[in-house]
Structure formats: C-alpha cells, structure tokens
Amino acid sequence: MAITTVTGPSFLALQVADVERAASFYENIVGMVRAPQSPPGAVVFATSPIAFGVRGPSPGTDLAAGLPGLGVALWFACEDARALHDHLAAEGVDIVTPPFASPFGDTFAFRDPAGYVITMHTG
C-alpha cells in the first residue's frame, strides 16, 4: 500500500480559552493582520506562507491541565526581531529569551497571554 506524500504544514493554530483575547493580543500587540475570513470559533491571521490562527479548544481538551504547547516549538519570521522585542517588552509582554544572534537572524521568544512560548526571528 502506497502512502501519500505529505508536503508540509498548511495551517497552524493555538487552542486558547479566550479566542478574542488571544486574537486581540496577536493583532494589536504583536501586529498580525486578521485574514478576511475565519471559521466559527477561530480567528485566522494573514501570515505567509502558512496561515496561523487561534481557536477554541477541541472537545475534550482541558487547557488548564498542563503547560500550553509543552514540547512544541513555534517560530515566526518578522522584518525586525529586535524592534518587535523592544515593542513587546514595552507592552509588558513576558520575554522568555532575550534577543540573540542565531543562524536564522536575530531571535527572541515571548510568552503569549494563553501561556504559549512563541519564537520570533528576523527572516
């Protein structure tokens, strides 16, 4: 039996308890732009090449049962990671890893309001 070829991620979403709070954070603090359409119970952002969103938890998912995203590394490219870091720090966002030079450009990590750690790098 042949297995189909997997070509890579086509959508990434974080499950959150408060979709509007998370969406507002990513839109108004991080600077992402909402996509023109989102499915019910979710907000999708116009990120490229892969769309990113926040959504309510799947049935049976207890977000309070553990640390959100434990074991998952989610990285985003941005135009200027150091400038974004400075902006997020000024907004009081929890900076987990301060900016450093990496093979992917300037890189830092922050914790979002739902507890997920997000890494940004200059892409």
Side-chain angles (χ1 to χ4, degrees), residues 36-119:
Q37 296 179 327
S38 294
V43 173
V44 177
F45 295 95
T47 54
S48 177
I50 299 168
F52 166 74
V54 291
R55 55 165 286 184
S58 298
T61 300
D62 180 2
L63 295 176
L67 185 62
L70 181 62
V72 174
L74 188 55
W75 288 50
F76 287 90
C78 65
E79 292 178 355
D80 187 338
R82 289 191 186 262
L84 180 58
H85 164 270
D86 295 347
H87 168 73
L88 296 180
E91 291 287 334
V93 174
D94 179 19
I95 303 299
V96 176
T97 306
F100 65 96
S102 81
F104 308 104
D106 290 334
T107 303
F108 77 99
F110 66 90
R111 187 176 316 279
D112 80 358
Y116 291 99
V117 174
I118 307 296
T119 301

